[in-house]
Amino acid sequence: MQDLERLAIRPLTREAFAPFGIVIEADPASMRLINGGTTERYHALAEAEAVGEDARVIVNIFRGSPRAFPYRVDMMERHPFGSQSFSPIDDRPWLVVVSEDEGGRPGRPQVFRAGGRQGVNYRRNVWHHPLIAVGAPSDFLVVDRLGGGVNLEEHFFEKPFVIDGP
Ligand SMILES: NC(=O)N[C@@H](O)C(=O)O
Ligand code: NI
């Protein structure tokens, strides 16, 4: 993998991720006390999008096997008819890989290290790499779209990239 372009990893922040979607985390600014003050509701952190034929929003659990590193990023995907969110259940850090769109193809991937209590909501049609779990099998609560049409577009890079380590 020596000849492949290396991708640096940045911490996941709301600002850096803004072009791609929302960071889902317990943001104090969104908190309201409910249930007689016994529960903190972190309200409306993100909105799920589901468009097209017979579109519905569904809730899933993805159990991701940990990726081996160095990891080759040889493809990206996107979902034209719906958003997709990933929220870690096991409080374990993971990696988020996204790209800007460049004329219908993903640009250079950007890699973010997400904390164990940080999720993301990819906006509809945002290029991202499939789930990258790190270190151990990890469960994620995933909210995305079910419906008609083909809700998956993939792009394979002519020259893959590499992430040296998590
Ligand atoms: N295939 C599937 O549902 N997973 C991908 O969309 C993903 O982003 O992990
Ligand atoms: Ni996806």
Side-chain angles (χ1 to χ4, degrees):
M1 295 194 190
Q2 287 315 312
D3 61 330
L4 300 181
E5 263 197 81
R6 313 196 104 65
L7 297 172
I9 303 179
R10 291 186 286 166
L12 180 65
T13 65
R14 183 179 305 114
E15 298 73 25
F17 193 72
F20 309 102
I22 300 286
V23 175
I24 299 172
E25 57 190 341
D27 171 13
S30 69
M31 194 280 281
R32 55 189 62 175
L33 278 178
I34 58 172
N35 302 344
T38 64
T39 304
E40 297 178 348
R41 177 184 173 127
Y42 294 87
H43 181 67
L45 298 175
E47 288 192 28
E49 299 167 272
V51 301
E53 176 204 348
D54 194 22
R56 279 156 292 163
V57 174
I58 55 172
V59 182
N60 319 269
I61 285 179
F62 283 25
R63 181 160 294 164
S65 299
R67 305 292 186 148
F69 291 87
Y71 181 73
R72 275 168 70 112
V73 177
D74 53 19
M75 63 82 67
M76 299 288 272
E77 64 168 38
R78 63 181 176 179
H79 307 299
F81 297 123
S83 58
Q84 189 175 46
S85 76
F86 290 81
S87 296
I89 295 175
D90 300 317
D91 197 352
R92 187 172 300 120
W94 58 298
L95 294 187
V96 174
V97 183
V98 287
S99 292
E100 302 269 10
D101 182 57
E102 294 180 0
R105 292 164 169 246
R108 180 187 173 84
Q110 298 182 47
V111 185
F112 295 99
R113 181 180 293 104
R117 298 200 170 188
Q118 285 186 304
V120 294
N121 187 47
Y122 300 123
R123 256 195 300 278
R124 181 165 69 88
N125 224 23
V126 165
W127 290 109
H128 60 280
H129 188 278
L131 176 60
I132 298 181
V134 174
S138 305
D139 283 5
F140 292 78
L141 195 70
V142 175
V143 177
D144 59 8
R145 180 258 193 201
L146 180 67
V150 177
N151 193 29
L152 173 64
E153 180 182 354
E154 296 176 313
H155 174 87
F156 290 82
F157 292 115
E158 285 172 25
K159 273 201 63 136
F161 300 85
V162 65
I163 303 171
D164 279 327

